[in-house]
Amino acid sequence: MAMAEPEFRATGVRIERWPRSLTKAGQVLIKDGRLQLLTSYGRVIDSAPVRAVRAGKAWFSDESSTALTVNGKRYRLTMGQRDEQADVGKLTGRFLKAVRRAGGTGD
């Protein structure tokens, strides 16, 4: 049986939980209705069903940043940290669409 492809995957993501950075090259994965925040080594930072996640554009920042609430904890994700060629606006938009499509709350 083939493994299902993730609905969204991004690498090289800066993941912050105010006031500190948790990783500068983390991963964000949405698969099988679940969101995972991972370190660059694949260790789980946080995980929750997408329907329990809130995501939106981060206030007072550029188009690469997303504010995220997972299990009552607030995170800031900054996409495209390792890929200068990435269109971070499109990547952030794809992430927010994937959250909404999987049943989460997104702006």
Side-chain angles (χ1 to χ4, degrees), residues 7-85:
E7 290 99 60
F8 180 85
R9 166 176 266 151
T11 59
V13 179
R14 181 183 190 105
I15 302 173
E16 299 172 288
R17 184 160 174 229
W18 193 85
R20 66 187 180 107
S21 175
L22 301 174
T23 182
K24 293 179 182 177
Q27 302 173 55
V28 178
L29 180 67
I30 298 176
K31 185 175 178 180
D32 299 328
R34 190 158 192 85
L35 177 129
Q36 289 186 316
L37 302 177
L38 308 165
T39 67
S40 57
Y41 299 107
R43 188 179 59 83
V44 176
I45 295 170
D46 211 339
S47 176
V50 178
R51 69 181 176 281
V53 170
R54 289 184 44 211
K57 295 278 188 178
W59 288 15
F60 305 112
S61 62
D62 65 16
E63 64 184 7
S64 67
S65 292
T66 305
L68 185 67
T69 303
V70 180
N71 296 321
K73 298 175 197 147
R74 295 190 56 157
Y75 296 94
R76 185 168 81 172
L77 309 179
T78 306
M79 306 284 181
Q81 291 290 285
R82 297 284 175 148
D83 185 0
E84 294 174 9
Q85 302 295 318

Side-chain angles (χ1 to χ4, degrees), residues 6-11 28 30 55 57 63 66 79 86-102 107:
E7 290 99 60
F8 180 85
R9 166 176 266 151
T11 59
V28 178
I30 298 176
K57 295 278 188 178
E63 64 184 7
T66 305
M79 306 284 181
D87 184 337
V88 294
K90 283 186 180 179
L91 188 58
T92 301
R94 280 187 37 235
F95 171 70
L96 293 172
K97 283 181 186 175
V99 168
R100 283 191 303 271
R101 201 171 37 244
D107 296 337

